[in-house]
Amino acid sequence: MGFKRNRSLSFFAILLIYVAAAAVGAAAFYALPGRDLLPRLFTADVAATLLVWLFGILLGNSSVYDPYWSVAPMVMAPFAAAYIKALSPGVLLLLGVILLWGIRLTLNWAFTFQSLNMQDWRYTQLREAHPKLWFIINLFGIHLFPTAVVFFVMIPAFLFTMDFTGMNFGIVASACLCVFAVALQATADAQMRRFKQSAANAGRVNRVGLWKYIRHPNYLGEILMWWGIYFMLLCARPDLWAALIGPLANTLMFVNISIPLMENRQLRDKPEYSEYQAGTGMLLPKFF
């Protein structure tokens, strides 16, 4: 598959895959008439994920799934709102912050995407470390588990869309938290890109800007984004507080899986990282 080395053709291939995934997801949704909205959306989400996973196997690259994290919410949220005809000011505000987050994160993926010939180092590491378990790790760990986490963080958004049509100060303030989270991510990613562009920084730890104060400002932004969505729901329907399982699961995934994987690699590749780790907070600044 020579096209895998070509960046433009790789982009086009992923676009076609995601269009097909959206079509499969829609077919799965409409195949369950009469059911509640959330189970239908989850079935559609899983169906779309399985198609992306299948193409990842065919192309020998699990990174086909990488943009799913940001693309799926941008598809599911407007689809759900349009399906139940919920287009109140509060819902439009909710959709706005989700689209802002999703577009920024997808553009960041596109900016760093090289071609289908390149795969995320974490996937390669897992495949080399566990060749006999790779099929299970790939399907459940790399694809279905993140899809479930994304769906759970979206549950507050779905409930907000289904159950509330008004507006209050708390909803606006929570939406502002989401916008702040997106700005935090954008700033952190831009600072990291500029740092990496200098050959003099090869093998060094980024201590510039936000990275001077916390080790993972981009992950902090991701965590705050989904707590902001949850707070929007909480300000509208305090009785639905149990929906916190979504942002909580997302936070735990970053703290216990994503961050340790990243830090273990940094400790292995950059001798000064242990000093940086000791003196710099993981997600919050160290004041003492």
Side-chain angles (χ1 to χ4, degrees):
M1 297 183 183
F3 75 90
K4 289 173 59 178
R5 296 184 177 86
N6 184 287
R7 189 170 186 266
S8 298
L9 291 178
S10 294
F11 261 126
F12 186 65
I14 288 181
L15 175 63
L16 292 180
I17 291 169
Y18 276 73
V19 169
V24 167
F29 180 88
Y30 287 108
L32 298 170
R35 303 290 181 89
D36 291 338
L37 181 65
L38 290 182
R40 295 175 72 185
L41 286 171
F42 184 68
T43 301
D45 199 10
V46 170
T49 298
L50 290 176
L51 186 72
V52 173
W53 164 73
L54 179 60
F55 273 104
I57 290 177
L58 294 175
L59 293 170
N61 191 332
S62 295
S63 280
V64 171
Y65 179 81
D66 286 353
Y68 197 92
W69 181 277
S70 57
V71 171
M74 289 195 294
V75 174
M76 290 192 295
F79 177 86
Y83 181 77
I84 61 178
K85 297 180 174 61
L87 295 175
S88 66
V91 171
L92 291 176
L93 180 62
L94 173 77
L95 295 179
V97 296
I98 289 175
L99 289 175
L100 177 67
W101 164 85
I103 290 171
R104 191 219 68 85
L105 191 55
T106 304
L107 288 176
N108 185 66
W109 164 82
F111 186 86
T112 58
F113 177 77
Q114 298 180 31
S115 73
L116 281 171
N117 205 41
M118 302 296 293
Q119 180 176 257
D120 189 299
W121 62 269
R122 290 166 292 191
Y123 307 158
T124 302
Q125 178 177 294
L126 286 168
R127 184 168 190 169
E128 292 174 351
H130 309 284
K132 294 182 179 179
L133 295 175
W134 171 243
F135 180 88
I136 295 174
I137 293 172
N138 187 30
L139 174 58
F140 292 98
I142 294 175
H143 289 80
L144 291 179
F145 175 70
T147 286
V149 171
V150 171
F151 187 83
F152 277 116
V153 298
M154 284 293 294
I155 286 178
F158 296 141
L159 294 176
F160 185 95
T161 301
M162 293 162 57
D163 295 332
F164 189 74
T165 58
M167 181 77 79
N168 59 47
F169 174 78
I171 292 173
V172 175
S174 300
C176 289
L177 175 60
C178 294
V179 174
F180 170 77
V182 173
L184 184 67
Q185 286 182 297
T187 302
D189 288 340
Q191 290 172 345
M192 182 58 79
R193 281 197 299 270
R194 285 196 296 269
F195 180 81
K196 289 182 175 180
Q197 284 171 355
S198 173
N201 292 327
R204 296 181 58 199
V205 174
N206 184 6
R207 301 171 188 254
V208 177
L210 295 170
W211 302 86
K212 178 180 178 180
Y213 303 101
I214 52 178
R215 304 197 303 272
H216 302 282
N218 50 346
Y219 287 162
L220 175 61
E222 187 68 20
I223 290 169
L224 289 177
M225 166 67 189
W226 296 108
W227 280 108
I229 297 296
Y230 170 71
F231 291 143
M232 289 183 74
L233 172 65
L234 201 62
C235 291
R237 290 285 306 274
D239 57 307
L240 297 177
W241 61 269
L244 64 81
I245 187 174
L248 182 60
N250 183 57
T251 302
L252 292 174
M253 183 189 71
F254 278 106
V255 171
N256 294 303
I257 299 176
S258 299
I259 290 176
L261 277 173
M262 180 65 70
E263 299 223 315
N264 288 337
R265 187 192 193 206
Q266 296 284 68
L267 287 167
R268 186 180 67 245
D269 296 344
K270 299 177 181 179
E272 63 177 303
Y273 194 82
S274 58
E275 176 197 349
Y276 175 67
Q277 190 180 49
T280 310
M282 181 174 69
L283 293 172
L284 296 173
K286 285 187 176 182
F287 296 103
F288 303 101

